[in-house]
Amino acid sequence: MAICYNPPSLVKPIVVRPSTSLSSTPKPNYFRCNLSFPSTTIHLPVSEPEPVFASVKAFAPATVANLGPGFDFLGCAVDGLGDFVSLSVDSSVHPGQISISQISGDPTSKLSRNPLWNCAGIAAIEVMKMLGIRSVGLSLSLEKGLPLGSGLGSSAASAAAAAVAVNEIFGGKLGSEQLVLAGLKSEEKVSGYHADNVGPAIMGGFVLIGNYEPLELKRLIFPKEKELYFVLVTPEFEAPTKKMRAALPLEIGMAHHVWNCSQAGALVAAVLEGDLVGLGKALSRDKIVEPRRAPLIPGMEAVKKAAIEAGAFGCTISGAGPTAVAVIDCKERGEMIGEKMVEAFWNEGKLKSVAAVRRLDRVGARLVDSNPR
Amino acid sequence: MAICYNPPSLVKPIVVRPSTSLSSTPKPNYFRCNLSFPSTTIHLPVSEPEPVFASVKAFAPATVANLGPGFDFLGCAVDGLGDFVSLSVDSSVHPGQISISQISGDPTSKLSRNPLWNCAGIAAIEVMKMLGIRSVGLSLSLEKGLPLGSGLGSSAASAAAAAVAVNEIFGGKLGSEQLVLAGLKSEEKVSGYHADNVGPAIMGGFVLIGNYEPLELKRLIFPKEKELYFVLVTPEFEAPTKKMRAALPLEIGMAHHVWNCSQAGALVAAVLEGDLVGLGKALSRDKIVEPRRAPLIPGMEAVKKAAIEAGAFGCTISGAGPTAVAVIDCKERGEMIGEKMVEAFWNEGKLKSVAAVRRLDRVGARLVDSNPR
């Protein structure tokens, strides 16, 4: 998870033109975009699209990336937690530009209103570039529902909501894969070029990142008839992505590599088969990343133990932490597990924490409101 | 793939008693055996089983292990190639013991008729131990259909056929997972404690090895309605497992680890979804093992290129080599691809080779003949 800090030299909101090169390029754009396993060539519209709404509001869910042995290539979306982006056509904003009018929600003090330094702003600009928007100015309002630096994909949620909002206000010309590319521009700037949060934030469900050049995203469909709940326990503790990444080994022994690969395979199989026991087991068996990161989060090892003892199918660190994530098939049991995890964070780590039990989000970023022109 | 060499000090066939400790232990045996993802406790019969057949004949298929990023934890069985084991109740063999009466087929000169040094013999003894056979002597005949050291699971096929034959002659009391454990005893002695050949040789289809302590095997079911063919091209070249294993890196950089893990996940997903394009792509993308081993097999890189240019969905080294394996959905196309691969082995590696196009074997080791008592 990444944080958009307010850079000291840039304190005033400014507006940004998506791209001078693009705005001066009237020729058709062809983005070759091999985004799913069968290769796809997406031909963008030659003409600049008109806005189809006066304003829209989009939601993007929190995401759990890494998932133990799924480190850096697998993530999933969780329902009911996330960020909102409201977007309106604004004649007071210079055509082809975007302005961030407001940021609300808990962690606003750290967030920049400069679109170039804001996760939502960067993704919105990217989508405007992709669509070739030159004649319409937009005003964006970001409502943060996710805490920063918690391991729940806060930056990705902002980027995803913004990307979807811009796309939808112009009639939804772009596919979800292109929106992920836009979100990646944002992630690249704030935390690194990783799609394991922004992929599921936009696409919903589980998403496997198969490649970056070209981007290949694979949806892993968890069976519709099965329930999957995440117990998310977030302690009051800062675990910056950079520090958590620095804790990782540079080299991995062959035995651990094979082990984690086999668990990654088992995890993917469990997702596709809706096998919660297998999913929990594979999730919990990372021998490479979790063993380095867990000791940096006070109480994490005890929290994992408590979750599994209380009946969770498995438990690991969400993203780069500090949130712990456990999996279960029942909300009530999840709440009980969450209590035990909160207790363990307090007893063993001396950390206050909050628990939430959330379903798998199968939809991803979407419009929640719109007003016609 | 491992080879059962004939050790110089043991040239005469001898008979072997499965286990003195077991044969002197009349108490019930309980093998706790958590072999599939849900844990299972298997209670073996208290009394020694009677043979239900006078003789049986079992077949076990060739296997393709490793499968690129599936290194050391994933394998699959291929139909129409494999080893046969014939087994008969033999009153001339001391009760509780086994004798190898004959070995036929191409590579017999290298194989020992001492059951302790023969893949089939070791596995047969293990199954006799598991069943507690003390009152019946067995005579075993091995018919090798697979070349040794080819990367097609020759030792595993012998072990699998023998394990199934012994189990079936006594009424099939053991489950396939226990037979894999017996086969593992054989693999351990001749090539290393790896179940990625003997697992699919016994169980058929694709098998993922999730753990060894306790053994966890996961069947990955390739959709029944889809076809999967393997183009197997075996050059006249020796690639001993030990040498091929010594070529592997001891340590792996994080980027390559994440890459291979993601491809392992994509490979598993492709198998379960019957996505041949995805399967071929993931199969071909190993950045850790294949790049070290391919240069040791003359022409291998050109063979892979030729296979893919000829329309194969993917290509890699089968097991530890030297066989190259490509995947396709059509037998005729497979034959054409095989020709191109043979050409490439000759043109680039100066190696003669033979091609075979075989279906995925979904059944695994099985009885092919039996005679009542």
Side-chain angles (χ1 to χ4, degrees):
Chain A
M1 212 296 304
I3 304 165
C4 307
Y5 285 97
N6 199 345
S9 61
L10 293 160
V11 291
K12 288 186 180 172
I14 60 167
V15 291
V16 175
R17 184 178 300 122
S19 160
T20 48
S21 64
L22 210 153
S23 61
S24 63
T25 308
K27 63 185 176 187
N29 297 313
Y30 294 98
F31 288 78
R32 191 181 181 286
C33 192
N34 183 359
L35 295 156
S36 56
F37 282 105
S39 60
T40 316
T41 304
I42 296 171
H43 297 265
L44 286 183
V46 177
S47 59
E48 182 186 347
E50 293 277 321
V52 297
F53 297 111
S55 66
V56 295
K57 186 174 184 179
F59 167 79
T63 44
V64 175
N66 295 342
L67 291 159
F71 176 68
D72 260 8
F73 72 88
L74 193 62
C76 63
V78 296
D79 201 19
L81 288 172
D83 289 357
F84 292 89
V85 163
S86 299
L87 194 73
S88 34
V89 174
D90 190 340
S91 58
S92 72
V93 177
H94 195 280
Q97 299 186 359
I98 191 161
S99 164
I100 296 181
S101 58
Q102 193 184 4
I103 303 176
S104 61
D106 194 32
T108 56
S109 60
K110 283 186 175 174
L111 295 178
S112 171
R113 283 175 64 191
N114 178 345
L116 284 178
W117 288 94
N118 181 290
C119 310
I122 299 165
I125 291 166
E126 280 303 309
V127 176
M128 289 178 79
K129 276 186 192 176
M130 288 176 171
L131 291 169
I133 303 303
R134 298 177 297 271
S135 314
V136 176
L138 296 172
S139 178
L140 184 154
S141 165
L142 171 63
E143 190 183 329
K144 287 297 298 175
L146 291 175
L148 303 182
S150 61
L152 291 169
S154 173
S155 62
S158 296
V164 164
V166 175
N167 188 40
E168 291 297 329
I169 210 167
F170 289 104
K173 308 286 184 200
L174 303 180
S176 58
E177 295 89 350
Q178 280 202 289
L179 300 181
V180 175
L181 277 175
L184 261 171
K185 282 280 179 184
S186 165
E187 291 287 82
E188 181 180 23
K189 211 153 190 173
V190 297
S191 70
Y193 200 75
H194 295 288
D196 49 345
N197 284 110
V198 78
I202 285 175
M203 297 167 70
F206 287 86
V207 175
L208 183 153
I209 319 302
N211 200 1
Y212 282 96
E213 289 176 5
L215 184 63
E216 290 177 4
L217 305 168
K218 178 149 185 69
R219 285 176 201 268
L220 302 176
I221 309 223
F222 189 82
K224 283 180 186 167
E225 67 278 13
K226 300 227 177 175
E227 280 289 14
L228 170 54
Y229 288 91
F230 299 90
V231 186
L232 301 162
V233 180
T234 306
E236 289 179 1
F237 181 76
E238 195 175 353
T241 301
K242 278 189 184 170
K243 187 180 167 193
M244 298 307 271
R245 196 159 276 275
L248 300 179
L250 296 175
E251 301 274 320
I252 293 144
M254 181 58 91
H256 278 188
H257 163 69
V258 170
W259 172 263
N260 261 44
C261 266
S262 69
Q263 301 314 310
L267 182 60
V268 167
V271 168
L272 290 173
E273 293 177 345
D275 167 17
L276 274 180
V277 172
L279 194 156
K281 191 182 277 189
L283 191 81
S284 307
R285 280 180 163 179
D286 168 23
K287 286 189 178 177
I288 295 171
V289 176
E290 190 191 301
R292 297 289 191 109
R293 287 179 166 176
L296 304 181
I297 303 167
M300 179 59 80
E301 283 139 339
V303 168
K304 177 174 181 168
K305 194 162 169 276
I308 290 170
E309 280 176 4
F313 294 123
C315 181
T316 189
I317 302 168
S318 177
T323 296
V325 56
V327 290
I328 193 70
D329 56 356
C330 155
K331 190 168 176 14
E332 291 68 33
R333 186 63 169 268
E335 281 163 0
M336 190 272 285
I337 291 166
E339 284 172 21
K340 297 287 181 192
M341 292 167 75
V342 168
E343 270 177 38
F345 258 133
W346 180 247
N347 291 339
E348 299 296 323
K350 303 298 168 213
L351 294 179
K352 287 185 188 172
S353 61
V354 290
V357 182
R358 303 290 175 175
R359 266 202 184 92
L360 176 68
D361 178 303
R362 298 169 191 260
V363 179
R366 61 264 196 182
L367 274 200
V368 292
D369 198 9
S370 61
N371 294 301
R373 292 190 79 193
Chain B
M1 213 293 306
I3 305 167
C4 306
Y5 284 99
N6 198 346
S9 60
L10 293 161
V11 289
K12 288 184 185 173
I14 60 165
V15 291
V16 175
R17 184 179 301 121
S19 159
T20 49
S21 65
L22 210 154
S23 61
S24 62
T25 308
K27 65 185 176 186
N29 298 315
Y30 293 97
F31 289 79
R32 192 182 181 287
C33 191
N34 183 359
L35 296 157
S36 56
F37 282 107
S39 60
T40 315
T41 303
I42 296 173
H43 297 267
L44 286 183
V46 176
S47 59
E48 181 186 349
E50 293 277 323
V52 297
F53 296 111
S55 65
V56 294
K57 186 174 183 180
F59 167 79
T63 43
V64 175
N66 294 344
L67 290 159
F71 177 68
D72 260 9
F73 72 88
L74 193 61
C76 64
V78 296
D79 200 18
L81 289 173
D83 289 357
F84 292 89
V85 163
S86 299
L87 194 74
S88 36
V89 174
D90 190 340
S91 59
S92 72
V93 177
H94 195 281
Q97 299 186 358
I98 191 162
S99 165
I100 296 181
S101 59
Q102 193 184 7
I103 303 176
S104 61
D106 193 35
T108 56
S109 60
K110 283 184 173 174
L111 296 176
S112 172
R113 285 174 62 188
N114 178 345
L116 285 178
W117 287 93
N118 180 290
C119 310
I122 299 166
I125 291 166
E126 280 303 309
V127 176
M128 289 177 80
K129 276 186 193 176
M130 288 175 173
L131 291 168
I133 303 303
R134 297 177 297 273
S135 313
V136 176
L138 296 173
S139 179
L140 184 153
S141 167
L142 171 62
E143 190 184 329
K144 287 297 296 177
L146 291 176
L148 304 181
S150 61
L152 290 169
S154 174
S155 61
S158 296
V164 164
V166 176
N167 188 41
E168 290 298 328
I169 209 167
F170 289 104
K173 308 286 185 199
L174 303 179
S176 59
E177 296 89 349
Q178 280 201 290
L179 300 181
V180 175
L181 277 176
L184 261 171
K185 281 280 178 184
S186 166
E187 291 286 83
E188 181 180 23
K189 213 154 190 174
V190 295
S191 69
Y193 200 74
H194 294 289
D196 48 346
N197 284 112
V198 77
I202 286 174
M203 299 166 70
F206 287 86
V207 176
L208 184 153
I209 320 301
N211 201 1
Y212 282 96
E213 289 176 6
L215 184 63
E216 290 177 2
L217 305 168
K218 177 148 188 67
R219 285 176 201 268
L220 303 176
I221 309 222
F222 189 82
K224 283 180 187 166
E225 67 278 12
K226 300 227 179 177
E227 281 289 12
L228 170 54
Y229 288 92
F230 299 91
V231 185
L232 302 162
V233 180
T234 307
E236 289 180 2
F237 181 77
E238 196 176 352
T241 302
K242 279 189 182 169
K243 187 181 168 193
M244 298 307 273
R245 195 159 279 276
L248 300 178
L250 297 174
E251 301 272 321
I252 292 143
M254 180 58 93
H256 278 187
H257 163 70
V258 169
W259 172 262
N260 261 43
C261 266
S262 69
Q263 300 314 310
L267 183 60
V268 166
V271 168
L272 291 172
E273 294 178 344
D275 167 17
L276 275 180
V277 172
L279 195 156
K281 192 183 275 189
L283 192 80
S284 307
R285 282 181 163 179
D286 168 23
K287 286 189 177 177
I288 295 171
V289 176
E290 189 191 301
R292 296 289 191 112
R293 287 180 166 176
L296 303 181
I297 304 167
M300 179 59 82
E301 285 141 337
V303 168
K304 177 174 181 170
K305 195 162 168 275
I308 291 169
E309 281 177 2
F313 294 125
C315 181
T316 188
I317 302 168
S318 178
T323 296
V325 57
V327 289
I328 192 71
D329 57 355
C330 156
K331 191 168 178 6
E332 290 68 34
R333 187 62 170 267
E335 282 161 0
M336 189 272 285
I337 291 166
E339 284 171 22
K340 297 287 183 192
M341 292 167 75
V342 167
E343 271 178 35
F345 258 134
W346 180 248
N347 291 339
E348 300 295 324
K350 303 300 169 210
L351 294 179
K352 286 185 190 171
S353 60
V354 290
V357 182
R358 304 290 175 176
R359 265 201 184 92
L360 176 69
D361 178 303
R362 299 169 190 259
V363 180
R366 63 266 198 180
L367 275 202
V368 291
D369 198 9
S370 61
N371 295 302
R373 292 191 79 194

